[in-house]
């Protein structure tokens, strides 16, 4: 079958090649599920991997199949699979279990192992190909009504984990009732975080670089959140205008912003969620005494979040269903740039990060 593969560590190594077909017997005890891939979304992680800055091959392989945002349809199930049936639509979880305690209780997103296993990213092949075989526990069933937007589930799961972490941390407060959230960044993750927080009834202010109006600011405002441009309204002005926030969700990819946001945007007892995977080497000077004092006197918390496990994918399905019911057609507007067929992969990479682009995805099969 065809696949988009890379040689991790080598810049611009992406290429279309033939790789062996998977077999349903790759999973033992008749527990294999053969999935035909329909769509695969791309993001900054894929771009970094193709730039040679990130990514690891599976053991025994000299290449890595790219792609971690999948959507597909079950073709065949092994004799011992009861959870899924041919014709079901599914999204695969990205991370697979390693060996730490957390991996053993199906929370590989919290692994303490030195290495981690992620489809299309680290040590496991990805989904920019035609078929894959997986165990049922790594597959999430997508309702028929979400077929058109199912490819958004993986980035949504990342958002869901971040938000659930904020709520977990805030159990320390016994009576936490968040009313206001700020989302920093208005890319796919920022827009989806805005959606998930609006679904929970919060007032949301979403900050992006670009001046409104443009698609992302319109999407944010269409679901009752406020969009502000940080070019025109720097963080202190945001706090002056809207007050401080119970939750700040950081998804800009620009790490220097977090220090300012902590002092200026985050209210007393607030929690800030950091979700950007920043591969760079930026350094900034910070007012450390003031920052520390503000954190201590304000009982503030900050939590990092990566990846997602089954419960976050399932929360993502519920939030996508709520969004589809509450704002019909809204999710589809995020799917701005379909690219038809695996052989058009170069076009998909060119589109990543270009103006007007929210989600680039490859339509692998119809
Ligand atoms: C993926 C996550 C993954 C993270 C770190 C993101 O692009 O969506 O699933 O855990 O990269 O590799
Ligand atoms: Zn990703």
């Amino acid at each position: 079958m065809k696949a988009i593969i890379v040689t991790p560590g080598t810049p611009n190594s992406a290429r279309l090649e033939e790789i062996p077909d998977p077999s349903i017997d790759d999973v033992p005890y008749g527990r294999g599920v053969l999935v035909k891939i329909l769509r695969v979304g791309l993001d900054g992680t894929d771009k970094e991997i193709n730039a040679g800055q990130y990514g690891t091959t599976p053991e025994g392989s000299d290449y890595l199949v790219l792609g971690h945002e999948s959507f597909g349809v079950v073709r065949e199930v092994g004799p011992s699979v009861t959870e899924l049936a041919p014709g079901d639509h599914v999204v695969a979880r990205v991370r697979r279990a390693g060996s730490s305690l957390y991996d053993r209780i199906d929370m590989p997103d919290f692994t303490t192992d030195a290495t981690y296993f992620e489809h299309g990213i680290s040590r496991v092949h990805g989904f920019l190909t035609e078929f894959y075989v997986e165990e049922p526990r790594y597959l999430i069933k997508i309702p028929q009504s979400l077929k058109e937007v199912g490819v958004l589930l993986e980035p949504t799961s990342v958002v869901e984990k971040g938000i659930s972490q904020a709520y977990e941390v805030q159990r320390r407060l016994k009576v936490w009732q968040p009313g206001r959230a700020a989302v920093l960044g208005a890319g796919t993750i920022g827009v989806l975080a805005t959606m998930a927080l609006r679904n929970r009834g919060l007032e949301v202010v979403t900050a992006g670089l670009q001046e409104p109006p443009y698609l992302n600011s319109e999407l944010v405002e269409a679901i009752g959140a406020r969009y502000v441009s940080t070019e025109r309204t720097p963080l202190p002005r945001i706090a002056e205008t809207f007050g401080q926030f119970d939750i700040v969700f950081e998804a800009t990819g620009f790490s220097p912003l977090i220090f300012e946001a902590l002092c200026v945007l985050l209210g007393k007892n607030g929690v800030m969620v950091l979700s950007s995977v920043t591969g760079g080497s930026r350094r900034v000077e910070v007012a450390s005494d003031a920052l520390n004092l503000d954190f201590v006197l304000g009982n503030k918390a900050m939590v990092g979040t990566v990846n997602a496990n089954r419960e976050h994918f399932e929360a993502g399905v519920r939030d996508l269903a709520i969004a589809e019911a509450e704002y019909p057609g809204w999710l589809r507007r995020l799917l701005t740039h379909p690219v038809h067929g695996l052989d058009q992969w170069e076009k998909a990479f060119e589109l990543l990060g270009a103006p007007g682009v929210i989600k680039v995805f490859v339509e692998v099969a119809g």
Side-chain angles (χ1 to χ4, degrees), residues 1 70 116 126 196 206 243 263 274 282 300 351:
M1 61 181 180
S70 73
Y116 52 88
T206 302
C263 285
L274 305 185
R282 271 195 201 93
K300 297 184 180 182
L351 285 167

Side-chain angles (χ1 to χ4, degrees), residues 26-98:
D26 293 347
V27 172
Y29 313 117
R31 294 281 292 154
V33 179
L34 173 70
V35 179
K36 179 179 158 77
I37 295 162
L38 299 176
R39 290 176 165 186
V40 178
L42 298 185
D43 72 1
T45 301
D46 302 296
K47 203 172 177 171
E48 271 190 28
I49 295 172
N50 191 36
Q53 293 160 1
Y54 195 48
T56 311
T57 55
E59 208 177 280
S61 170
D62 56 6
Y63 65 88
L64 171 72
V65 178
L66 269 182
H68 59 279
E69 300 182 2
S70 73
F71 176 71
V73 60
V74 174
R75 259 302 173 75
E76 192 188 335
V77 298
S80 309
V81 172
T82 53
E83 299 92 326
L84 291 163
D88 286 347
H89 289 91
V90 289
V91 167
R93 290 165 59 184
V94 173
R95 207 173 265 205
R96 297 187 111 241

Side-chain angles (χ1 to χ4, degrees), residues 24 27 44-45 60-61 83 86 115 123 130 147 172 183 185 192 208 221 244 274 278 297 307 339 346 358:
I24 194 134
V27 172
T45 301
S61 170
E83 299 92 326
T115 56
R123 298 176 170 81
E130 296 177 74
K147 253 170 51 179
R172 67 193 173 128
V183 175
L192 290 171
E221 303 221 316
Q244 289 185 312
L274 305 185
T278 46
L297 297 184
N307 197 253
V339 166
E346 281 179 289
I358 299 185

Side-chain angles (χ1 to χ4, degrees), residues 6 61 64 142 153 167-168 196 212 225 239 274 294 307 310:
V6 289
S61 170
L64 171 72
I142 305 301
L153 181 59
Y167 280 76
E168 289 290 328
L274 305 185
D294 177 73
N307 197 253
R310 173 171 283 279

